[in-house]
Amino acid sequence: MSIKANLKVILDELPGEVQLVAVSKTKPESDILQAYEAGQRIFGENKAQELQSKAQNLPDDIEWHMIGHLQRNKVKYIARHVSLIHSVDSLRLLKEIDKRAKQNERVIKVLLQIYIAQESTKFGFDEQELLELLADSEFQSLEHIEVVGLMGMATNTDNQEKITKEFQSLKTLFDHLKTTHFKDAPGFCKLSMGMSSDYAIAIEKGSTLVRIGSAIFGHREYTTQ
Ligand SMILES: *Cc1c(COP(=O)(O)O)cnc(C)c1O
Protein backbone atom coordinates (compact mmCIF):
# COMPACT_ATOMS: atom_id res chain seq x y z
CA MET A 1 0.00 0.00 0.00
CA SER A 2 1.06 3.58 -0.48
CA ILE A 3 2.16 5.88 2.33
CA LYS A 4 -1.02 7.84 1.85
CA ALA A 5 -3.23 4.75 2.11
CA ASN A 6 -1.35 3.50 5.20
CA LEU A 7 -1.78 6.88 6.85
CA LYS A 8 -5.49 6.88 6.19
CA VAL A 9 -5.95 3.42 7.72
CA ILE A 10 -4.19 4.57 10.90
CA LEU A 11 -5.88 7.95 11.14
CA ASP A 12 -9.28 6.28 10.78
CA GLU A 13 -8.47 4.17 13.85
CA LEU A 14 -7.24 7.01 16.05
CA PRO A 15 -9.70 8.69 18.39
CA GLY A 16 -9.89 12.42 17.68
CA GLU A 17 -7.90 13.44 20.75
CA VAL A 18 -4.93 11.20 19.94
CA GLN A 19 -2.16 12.80 17.88
CA LEU A 20 -0.03 10.92 15.39
CA VAL A 21 3.73 11.31 15.17
CA ALA A 22 4.74 9.85 11.81
CA VAL A 23 8.17 8.35 12.52
CA SER A 24 10.23 9.10 9.44
CA LYS A 25 13.69 8.14 10.71
CA THR A 26 15.93 6.69 7.97
CA LYS A 27 13.28 7.53 5.35
CA PRO A 28 13.92 9.93 2.46
CA GLU A 29 12.43 13.40 2.26
CA SER A 30 10.27 12.28 -0.67
CA ASP A 31 8.45 9.85 1.66
CA ILE A 32 7.87 12.63 4.18
CA LEU A 33 6.46 14.85 1.44
CA GLN A 34 3.98 12.15 0.44
CA ALA A 35 2.67 12.03 4.00
CA TYR A 36 2.74 15.82 4.16
CA GLU A 37 0.63 16.08 1.05
CA ALA A 38 -1.86 13.73 2.67
CA GLY A 39 -2.15 16.23 5.53
CA GLN A 40 0.32 14.86 8.09
CA ARG A 41 2.26 17.60 9.92
CA ILE A 42 4.02 15.92 12.85
CA PHE A 43 7.12 13.86 12.09
CA GLY A 44 9.47 12.03 14.44
CA GLU A 45 13.20 11.49 14.05
CA ASN A 46 15.75 9.82 16.28
CA LYS A 47 19.02 11.30 15.00
CA ALA A 48 19.78 14.94 15.67
CA GLN A 49 21.60 15.71 12.44
CA GLU A 50 19.01 13.91 10.35
CA LEU A 51 16.25 15.95 12.01
CA GLN A 52 18.22 19.15 11.38
CA SER A 53 18.78 18.56 7.68
CA LYS A 54 15.20 17.41 7.04
CA ALA A 55 13.87 20.44 8.92
CA GLN A 56 16.03 22.74 6.82
CA ASN A 57 14.87 21.20 3.54
CA LEU A 58 11.17 20.56 4.16
CA PRO A 59 8.14 22.87 4.68
CA ASP A 60 8.21 25.20 7.68
CA ASP A 61 4.83 24.15 9.05
CA ILE A 62 6.09 20.67 9.90
CA GLU A 63 6.39 19.97 13.64
CA TRP A 64 9.58 18.00 14.26
CA HIS A 65 9.66 15.67 17.24
CA MET A 66 12.85 14.11 18.59
CA ILE A 67 11.89 10.63 19.75
CA GLY A 68 15.20 8.80 20.13
CA HIS A 69 17.91 8.77 22.74
CA LEU A 70 19.58 12.18 22.61
CA GLN A 71 23.19 12.87 23.47
CA ARG A 72 23.98 16.19 25.06
CA ASN A 73 26.49 17.20 22.41
CA LYS A 74 23.79 16.82 19.72
CA VAL A 75 21.19 19.12 21.26
CA LYS A 76 22.67 22.12 19.44
CA TYR A 77 21.68 20.66 16.07
CA ILE A 78 17.98 20.49 16.89
CA ALA A 79 17.44 23.38 19.33
CA ARG A 80 16.13 25.70 16.68
CA HIS A 81 13.91 23.20 14.86
CA VAL A 82 12.40 20.83 17.37
CA SER A 83 8.80 21.19 18.65
CA LEU A 84 8.91 18.43 21.23
CA ILE A 85 11.64 16.18 22.63
CA HIS A 86 10.11 12.89 23.80
CA SER A 87 13.23 11.23 25.11
CA VAL A 88 14.59 13.25 28.01
CA ASP A 89 16.20 10.93 30.52
CA SER A 90 18.55 12.97 32.71
CA LEU A 91 18.96 16.31 34.45
CA ARG A 92 22.21 16.86 32.59
CA LEU A 93 20.39 16.56 29.29
CA LEU A 94 17.64 18.91 30.51
CA LYS A 95 20.26 21.50 31.45
CA GLU A 96 21.81 21.32 28.00
CA ILE A 97 18.38 21.65 26.33
CA ASP A 98 17.65 24.64 28.55
CA LYS A 99 20.95 26.27 27.61
CA ARG A 100 20.44 25.77 23.87
CA ALA A 101 16.82 26.91 24.04
CA LYS A 102 17.96 30.09 25.77
CA GLN A 103 20.54 30.74 23.05
CA ASN A 104 17.74 30.43 20.51
CA GLU A 105 15.45 32.68 22.57
CA ARG A 106 12.79 30.05 22.97
CA VAL A 107 11.28 27.50 25.32
CA ILE A 108 11.60 23.86 24.27
CA LYS A 109 8.82 21.46 25.25
CA VAL A 110 9.93 18.09 26.53
CA LEU A 111 8.54 14.79 27.76
CA LEU A 112 10.28 12.87 30.51
CA GLN A 113 10.99 9.34 29.36
CA ILE A 114 10.01 6.73 31.92
CA TYR A 115 11.49 3.27 32.07
CA ILE A 116 8.53 0.87 31.97
CA ALA A 117 9.90 -2.12 30.03
CA GLN A 118 11.99 -4.97 31.31
CA GLU A 119 14.70 -4.45 28.73
CA SER A 120 18.12 -3.14 29.61
CA THR A 121 18.41 -1.51 26.18
CA LYS A 122 15.67 0.98 26.95
CA PHE A 123 16.30 4.38 28.52
CA GLY A 124 14.41 6.50 31.00
CA PHE A 125 13.84 7.47 34.62
CA ASP A 126 12.46 4.99 37.09
CA GLU A 127 9.86 6.35 39.49
CA GLN A 128 12.33 7.10 42.25
CA GLU A 129 14.66 8.97 39.91
CA LEU A 130 11.72 10.91 38.55
CA LEU A 131 10.65 12.06 42.01
CA GLU A 132 14.24 13.09 42.76
CA LEU A 133 14.36 15.09 39.55
CA LEU A 134 11.11 16.89 40.25
CA ALA A 135 12.33 17.82 43.74
CA ASP A 136 15.70 19.07 42.49
CA SER A 137 16.13 22.83 42.79
CA GLU A 138 18.36 22.94 39.73
CA PHE A 139 15.60 21.30 37.70
CA GLN A 140 13.02 23.70 39.11
CA SER A 141 15.12 26.69 38.11
CA LEU A 142 15.25 25.83 34.39
CA GLU A 143 13.30 28.50 32.51
CA HIS A 144 13.72 27.51 28.90
CA ILE A 145 12.21 24.05 29.05
CA GLU A 146 8.60 23.09 29.66
CA VAL A 147 7.73 19.58 30.77
CA VAL A 148 4.48 18.74 28.98
CA GLY A 149 4.16 15.04 29.78
CA LEU A 150 5.69 11.59 29.84
CA MET A 151 6.90 9.08 27.27
CA GLY A 152 7.45 5.34 27.55
CA MET A 153 8.25 2.29 25.46
CA ALA A 154 6.80 -1.12 26.30
CA THR A 155 8.82 -4.30 26.11
CA ASN A 156 9.19 -5.62 22.58
CA THR A 157 7.09 -8.77 23.01
CA ASP A 158 3.99 -10.54 21.70
CA ASN A 159 2.70 -10.79 25.26
CA GLN A 160 -0.24 -8.38 25.14
CA GLU A 161 -0.87 -8.68 28.84
CA LYS A 162 2.64 -7.53 29.64
CA ILE A 163 2.41 -4.58 27.25
CA THR A 164 -0.97 -3.65 28.74
CA LYS A 165 0.48 -3.67 32.26
CA GLU A 166 3.45 -1.54 31.27
CA PHE A 167 1.30 1.10 29.58
CA GLN A 168 -1.13 1.03 32.50
CA SER A 169 1.73 1.74 34.91
CA LEU A 170 2.78 4.77 32.87
CA LYS A 171 -0.78 6.07 32.69
CA THR A 172 -1.17 5.71 36.45
CA LEU A 173 2.04 7.63 37.04
CA PHE A 174 0.97 10.33 34.58
CA ASP A 175 -2.42 10.77 36.26
CA HIS A 176 -0.76 10.90 39.66
CA LEU A 177 1.65 13.64 38.58
CA LYS A 178 -1.21 15.66 37.13
CA THR A 179 -2.75 15.89 40.59
CA THR A 180 0.53 16.46 42.45
CA HIS A 181 3.68 18.00 40.93
CA PHE A 182 1.94 19.34 37.84
CA LYS A 183 -1.44 20.29 39.29
CA ASP A 184 -0.88 23.94 38.40
CA ALA A 185 0.55 23.16 34.97
CA PRO A 186 -2.27 22.73 32.45
CA GLY A 187 0.39 22.22 29.78
CA PHE A 188 1.24 18.86 31.36
CA CYS A 189 -1.17 16.89 29.16
CA LYS A 190 0.78 14.63 26.82
CA LEU A 191 1.30 10.91 27.23
CA SER A 192 3.46 9.51 24.43
CA MET A 193 3.11 5.75 24.14
CA GLY A 194 2.46 3.27 21.37
CA MET A 195 4.31 2.33 18.16
CA SER A 196 3.33 0.28 15.08
CA SER A 197 3.08 -3.00 16.98
CA ASP A 198 1.31 -1.83 20.12
CA TYR A 199 -0.51 1.45 19.48
CA ALA A 200 -3.98 -0.07 19.83
CA ILE A 201 -3.19 -1.13 23.40
CA ALA A 202 -1.54 2.23 24.12
CA ILE A 203 -4.65 4.11 23.03
CA GLU A 204 -6.84 1.89 25.16
CA LYS A 205 -4.60 2.77 28.09
CA GLY A 206 -4.82 6.53 27.55
CA SER A 207 -2.07 7.50 25.12
CA THR A 208 -2.47 11.00 23.65
CA LEU A 209 0.44 10.74 21.21
CA VAL A 210 1.37 7.62 19.24
CA ARG A 211 4.71 7.27 17.42
CA ILE A 212 4.21 5.18 14.31
CA GLY A 213 6.86 4.47 11.69
CA SER A 214 6.86 1.17 9.84
CA ALA A 215 3.06 0.89 9.63
CA ILE A 216 3.13 4.11 7.58
CA PHE A 217 6.42 4.08 5.69
CA GLY A 218 7.10 0.35 5.47
CA HIS A 219 9.91 -1.41 7.24
CA ARG A 220 13.28 0.25 7.64
CA GLU A 221 16.44 -1.04 5.98
CA TYR A 222 18.34 -0.44 9.18
CA THR A 223 17.05 0.42 12.60
CA THR A 224 18.65 2.79 15.00
CA GLN A 225 16.95 2.53 18.33
C1 LIG B 1 11.47 3.90 15.65
C2 LIG B 1 10.69 4.35 16.84
C3 LIG B 1 9.28 4.32 16.82
C4 LIG B 1 8.46 3.79 15.66
O1 LIG B 1 8.63 2.40 15.55
P1 LIG B 1 7.72 1.55 14.51
O2 LIG B 1 7.78 0.19 15.06
O3 LIG B 1 8.39 1.68 13.19
O4 LIG B 1 6.36 2.13 14.53
C5 LIG B 1 8.61 4.79 17.94
N1 LIG B 1 9.28 5.29 19.00
C6 LIG B 1 10.63 5.33 19.05
C7 LIG B 1 11.28 5.88 20.26
C8 LIG B 1 11.37 4.86 17.98
O5 LIG B 1 12.72 4.91 18.04
Side-chain angles (χ1 to χ4, degrees):
M1 281 212 297
S2 68
I3 289 171
K4 203 172 163 179
N6 290 338
L7 248 184
K8 185 169 185 322
V9 168
I10 291 164
L11 288 172
D12 283 349
E13 283 176 37
L14 293 190
E17 68 281 6
V18 178
Q19 285 189 305
L20 171 63
V21 180
V23 175
S24 48
K25 63 189 186 194
T26 80
K27 296 293 177 182
E29 291 171 4
S30 55
D31 282 8
I32 297 175
L33 280 175
Q34 283 185 50
Y36 180 88
E37 280 154 20
Q40 180 64 27
R41 290 294 179 274
I42 307 176
F43 292 89
E45 293 286 336
N46 72 341
K47 295 268 193 231
Q49 279 126 312
E50 189 174 338
L51 187 155
Q52 179 189 38
S53 77
K54 286 173 171 172
Q56 284 166 344
N57 294 337
L58 291 165
D60 280 341
D61 62 342
I62 289 179
E63 260 190 46
W64 294 100
H65 288 199
M66 181 69 196
I67 61 166
H69 185 62
L70 179 59
Q71 289 170 310
R72 277 177 302 139
N73 62 357
K74 303 280 174 68
V75 175
K76 58 179 179 283
Y77 298 118
I78 63 169
R80 181 190 303 207
H81 307 286
V82 75
S83 297
L84 181 64
I85 302 176
H86 290 231
S87 42
V88 171
D89 59 1
S90 72
L91 177 57
R92 291 170 79 205
L93 177 59
L94 273 170
K95 284 162 63 180
E96 176 67 17
I97 295 169
D98 185 79
K99 173 179 147 190
R100 298 293 176 180
K102 186 174 181 189
Q103 283 174 356
N104 283 277
E105 299 179 339
R106 60 176 299 214
V107 170
I108 295 181
K109 292 184 179 181
V110 303
L111 303 178
L112 301 175
Q113 183 170 354
I114 308 299
Y115 183 82
I116 54 170
Q118 281 164 357
E119 278 176 29
S120 56
T121 54
K122 301 250 155 84
F123 296 96
F125 295 98
D126 65 29
E127 260 186 72
Q128 186 54 39
E129 291 164 341
L130 178 70
L131 295 178
E132 281 167 22
L133 173 78
L134 296 174
D136 190 304
S137 59
E138 232 184 332
F139 165 74
Q140 290 165 357
S141 72
L142 300 177
E143 291 183 341
H144 296 270
I145 54 126
E146 183 189 1
V147 176
V148 297
L150 303 180
M151 182 274 228
M153 294 174 83
T155 303
N156 184 9
T157 172
D158 291 333
N159 184 339
Q160 311 268 308
E161 213 175 304
K162 186 172 174 62
I163 296 170
T164 304
K165 273 193 193 143
E166 290 174 356
F167 284 151
Q168 179 63 58
S169 73
L170 186 57
K171 168 69 169 158
T172 302
L173 177 62
F174 177 68
D175 286 344
H176 174 68
L177 292 176
K178 274 207 287 197
T179 64
T180 55
H181 288 83
F182 292 96
K183 70 175 184 302
D184 298 319
F188 187 86
C189 61
K190 292 188 192 296
L191 183 55
S192 168
M193 56 187 197
M195 348 205 310
S196 293
S197 58
D198 56 19
Y199 70 88
I201 303 174
I203 290 168
E204 211 180 278
K205 287 295 152 196
S207 172
T208 71
L209 202 55
V210 290
R211 310 176 310 270
I212 301 182
S214 45
I216 298 171
F217 296 107
H219 90 199
R220 290 175 292 275
E221 291 303 315
Y222 56 101
T223 54
T224 44
Q225 286 287 334

